[in-house]
Amino acid sequence: MVDMLKTRQCLLGVRTFLGVTSRLWSCFLYILRKHIRTIIQYQTVRYDILPFLYFCSDTVKRKILVLDLDETLIHSHHDGVLRPTVRPGTPPDFVLKVVIDKHPVRFFVHKRPHVDFFLEVVSQWYELVVFTASMEIYGSAVADKLDNNKGILKRRYYRQHCTLDSGSYIKDLSVVHDDLSSIVILDNSPGAYRSHPDNAIPIKSWFSDPSDTALLNLLPMLDALR
């Protein structure tokens, strides 16, 4: 009887030890993934930024670069998603808590690699405008985080500014500016800009690839277009 009690206590101790070890290992892996992801995404990048030529800087107005959010600059998923496209355990860049239809919802937001550097550079070339088909309460919160109090994403348009056609939201660029020759839109969804295909720069949808360089690859072209 004494031996059985000792055996049970021993097994209980082993289970407790394994449980604690498992939690510590999970915590270690979470922190390690976060640091590796940060190193990969925000490695030092250099791009030489040249100003406008002195003789045209006062006469040429800045063009407008319209930016989509979801799957273009960021990717997010919210509470209750059964199959998130992001690998489980990948830490989000930030978490948003918004109230939709009187229900609190948490969004776990992942920034596309190099998005901060991209915005910093193109904000010196273009007037930046956010145009998302998402609800304003969510889109505004995401834009605030990306802007980070820099004042580069002041103009914003949301779902209510889109045109609903056959179940999809179309972005009418004429609501941004009446001179369409001065507008370029960066969006991962061709359906969103189908009214203005000549103004669009397509970009591959992004969900979780930490080695993605699509935003960096666009800088030379956007530099030339400005």
Side-chain angles (χ1 to χ4, degrees):
M1 188 71 177
V2 174
D3 290 339
M4 289 181 63
L5 287 174
K6 288 182 177 179
T7 302
R8 288 180 181 176
Q9 289 175 349
C10 183
L11 289 174
L12 182 61
V14 170
R15 288 177 182 173
T16 302
F17 173 76
L18 291 176
V20 172
T21 303
S22 176
R23 284 194 290 271
L24 288 174
W25 179 248
S26 298
C27 182
F28 171 75
L29 287 178
Y30 179 88
I31 295 172
L32 182 62
R33 283 178 191 157
K34 187 171 183 178
H35 283 292
I36 291 176
R37 182 165 171 264
T38 300
I39 292 171
I40 293 174
Q41 287 195 19
Y42 306 111
Q43 56 189 305
T44 301
V45 178
R46 180 182 176 187
Y47 189 86
D48 293 326
I49 303 171
L50 300 176
F52 277 137
L53 294 175
Y54 72 93
F55 57 81
C56 69
S57 59
D58 294 329
T59 58
V60 178
K61 293 184 65 175
R62 285 214 262 183
K63 291 184 174 68
I64 299 171
L65 177 59
V66 178
L67 300 168
D68 175 48
L69 291 180
D70 291 291
E71 283 68 72
T72 296
L73 299 184
I74 59 99
H75 171 69
S76 71
H77 60 276
H78 57 79
D79 290 319
V81 174
L82 296 178
R83 291 185 179 180
T85 51
V86 178
R87 181 180 175 182
T90 303
D93 287 289
F94 53 89
V95 178
L96 297 176
K97 298 178 181 179
V98 300
V99 178
I100 300 176
D101 295 331
K102 298 182 180 180
H103 296 287
V105 181
R106 289 189 304 168
F107 286 91
F108 304 91
V109 185
H110 301 261
K111 295 194 289 188
R112 191 169 197 153
H114 311 293
V115 66
D116 293 325
F117 179 77
F118 174 82
L119 292 175
E120 178 185 346
V121 174
V122 296
S123 67
Q124 300 178 54
W125 299 339
Y126 295 85
E127 177 189 348
L128 301 185
V129 174
V130 169
F131 203 153
T132 175
S134 299
M135 291 185 292
E136 181 171 352
I137 191 170
Y138 161 80
S140 177
V142 172
D144 284 343
K145 285 288 187 179
L146 293 178
D147 185 276
N148 196 25
N149 297 318
K150 295 177 182 176
I152 60 176
L153 299 176
K154 293 180 180 178
R155 291 182 61 191
R156 304 168 185 181
Y157 297 86
Y158 307 100
R159 179 173 295 180
Q160 65 266 31
H161 301 106
C162 297
T163 302
L164 183 59
D165 183 21
S166 301
S168 61
Y169 291 97
I170 302 174
K171 299 171 183 178
D172 182 3
L173 298 181
S174 64
V175 305
V176 177
H177 199 279
D178 53 6
D179 180 12
L180 294 179
S181 66
S182 66
I183 299 180
V184 180
I185 180 171
L186 179 64
D187 201 309
N188 70 298
S189 175
Y193 53 73
R194 67 187 184 198
S195 298
H196 309 284
D198 295 334
N199 297 79
I201 299 176
I203 188 170
K204 182 181 179 181
S205 297
W206 180 81
F207 296 96
S208 61
D209 180 10
S211 62
D212 179 85
T213 58
L215 292 176
L216 290 182
N217 296 340
L218 286 174
L219 289 178
M221 182 178 66
L222 290 171
D223 191 358
L225 282 176
R226 64 178 173 132

